[in-house]
Amino acid sequence: MPSESDLATVADLARSIRTELARVLSGLDRAVDAVLATVLAEGHVLLEDVPGVGKTTLARALGRACDVSVGRIQFTPDLLPSDVTGVSVLRGTDRAFEFRPGPVFANIVIADEINRASPKTQAALLESMQEHAVTVDGQTRPLPRPFLVVATQNPVDMEGTYPLPEAQRDRFMTRITVGYPSGDDEMEMLRTHDRVDPLDSVAVVADAGALAHAIEVVRSVYTSEPARRYVVDLVRATRESPELRLGASPRASLQLLALAKARAAMSGRDHVLPDDVKALAPAALAHRVILTAQARSAARTAEAVVTDLTASVPVPTAGRPVPAPR
């Protein structure tokens, strides 16, 4: 069980990062909270929405607020796997090979428009996401910790793109849609963004050590048996829903629980509540399921189906546990 001071540190860290991101993108509290929960659960984020709503800006602002190494990759059809992972080059002095690390060797990797690259290049990034290591020329090199990928892709203008298959989407802990801003938020954007770059106002509020400590605190958050049962029942409901052809994987159960622990720590709690699970279930499960043809013809979305399941699956009555002895 984490101490009260550790929980307060995590809550303050999340609040500070949230404040800095709000300087750049206002009105995105729900998306920002989901991103922060993913970061503290040491997962990977897929930002998916129409062009121009701030996906890349959100990812860059996160990198600015954290004093960690940031690598950015603009995915294009001619991008090679070695452009992501790195390559061994021959030195002219002693005729020996020297490894030149690619942009994936960073704490935060921004993968812009990941669906523009070929499946082979996508796989090079997704392998590092799963293994936290890169193998080049038969030698495995570990990636820095913490390590997280913030990828973006557009669901429109799909000509000439390579959509991520289901097995690769499953590597992302969350898929988050940014959405259009409200009228007031768009007016505020016009007032503040027309003369200066909003990213210049983002202050550094965390470093790699602080993030690593927060991640360890999140892992120690207590989860009761009813809370774990609720996660399992919710994920199993996606496999039994008549509207879904493919349900969520067991990896989804593990990652949904990790997200719930992160949300609890961000709120200063040492235990998980069912509300933590319900709040992040659409972001954690919707990209892992496939709708049936009937559901698609009825204009249903995966997010709507998962949201309905959270309302129909019974919530454990013992969701608030008695704190375990320290």
Side-chain angles (χ1 to χ4, degrees):
M1 293 275 292
S3 65
E4 292 183 4
S5 61
D6 284 339
L7 289 169
T9 299
V10 174
D12 290 342
L13 177 67
R15 191 180 306 111
S16 299
I17 297 177
R18 188 185 296 114
T19 299
E20 295 305 315
L21 298 187
R23 299 181 190 275
V24 179
L25 296 168
S26 58
L28 300 180
D29 296 343
R30 193 171 179 180
V32 167
D33 285 346
V35 169
L36 288 180
T38 310
V39 170
L40 295 179
E42 203 176 9
H44 307 292
V45 184
L46 179 62
L47 297 174
E48 181 180 279
D49 218 316
V50 296
V53 294
K55 301 184 300 296
T56 304
T57 301
L58 177 58
R60 292 177 61 196
L62 177 64
R64 289 282 187 97
C66 303
D67 186 18
V68 296
S69 57
V70 179
R72 186 177 185 276
I73 311 169
Q74 182 65 51
F75 278 73
T76 57
D78 60 347
L79 193 72
L80 299 176
S82 58
D83 296 328
V84 175
T85 61
V87 64
S88 296
V89 297
L90 185 65
R91 291 198 301 257
T93 54
D94 54 2
R95 310 298 294 175
F97 282 97
E98 176 186 5
F99 178 70
R100 300 281 179 85
V104 75
F105 283 86
N107 296 113
I108 298 178
V109 178
I110 302 173
D112 211 4
E113 294 190 289
I114 189 174
N115 55 334
R116 295 288 177 187
S118 67
K120 187 175 183 179
T121 303
Q122 291 175 359
L125 175 66
L126 295 169
E127 177 188 7
S128 65
M129 292 166 54
Q130 178 66 24
E131 306 296 336
H132 284 197
V134 167
T135 301
V136 177
D137 297 332
Q139 183 175 351
T140 300
R141 295 174 171 85
L143 296 173
R145 304 296 290 265
F147 172 73
L148 61 119
V149 173
V150 183
T152 71
Q153 70 173 4
N154 300 324
V156 297
D157 187 22
M158 298 296 288
E159 183 177 354
T161 64
Y162 303 87
L164 293 175
E166 291 76 18
Q168 294 184 357
R169 289 203 307 268
D170 196 48
R171 305 288 179 91
F172 289 96
M173 183 173 283
T174 54
R175 182 185 67 181
I176 300 168
T177 56
V178 177
Y180 288 115
S182 65
D184 292 339
D185 290 329
E186 197 160 2
M187 283 293 294
E188 179 65 20
M189 180 186 68
L190 295 181
R191 281 192 294 265
T192 58
H193 294 195
D194 60 339
R195 296 182 180 179
V196 296
D197 186 352
L199 289 171
D200 293 338
S201 64
V202 177
V204 175
V205 295
D207 57 19
L211 285 178
H213 175 69
I215 290 170
E216 290 301 320
V217 172
V218 166
R219 288 174 178 166
S220 63
V221 169
Y222 176 72
T223 54
S224 65
E225 189 69 19
R228 288 193 292 268
R229 172 55 58 186
Y230 182 52
V231 171
V232 171
D233 290 346
L234 189 55
V235 172
R236 287 181 61 85
T238 66
R239 304 168 192 165
E240 300 168 359
S241 171
E243 295 185 284
L244 298 177
R245 182 163 56 90
L246 176 69
S249 66
R251 181 189 285 138
S253 302
L254 294 170
Q255 295 191 347
L256 178 55
L257 183 59
L259 285 167
K261 293 168 72 172
R263 187 175 186 270
M266 289 166 57
S267 302
R269 277 184 282 104
D270 60 359
H271 58 276
V272 172
L273 296 178
D275 286 346
D276 298 321
V277 178
K278 293 177 68 173
L280 292 166
L285 302 180
H287 63 293
R288 307 173 192 266
V289 302
I290 299 179
L291 295 169
T292 63
Q294 293 83 358
R296 288 198 305 271
S297 63
R300 293 280 282 168
T301 64
E303 288 80 2
V305 173
V306 172
T307 300
D308 289 347
L309 289 176
T310 61
S312 62
V313 174
V315 177
T317 56
R320 183 183 294 275
V322 176
R326 298 186 183 279

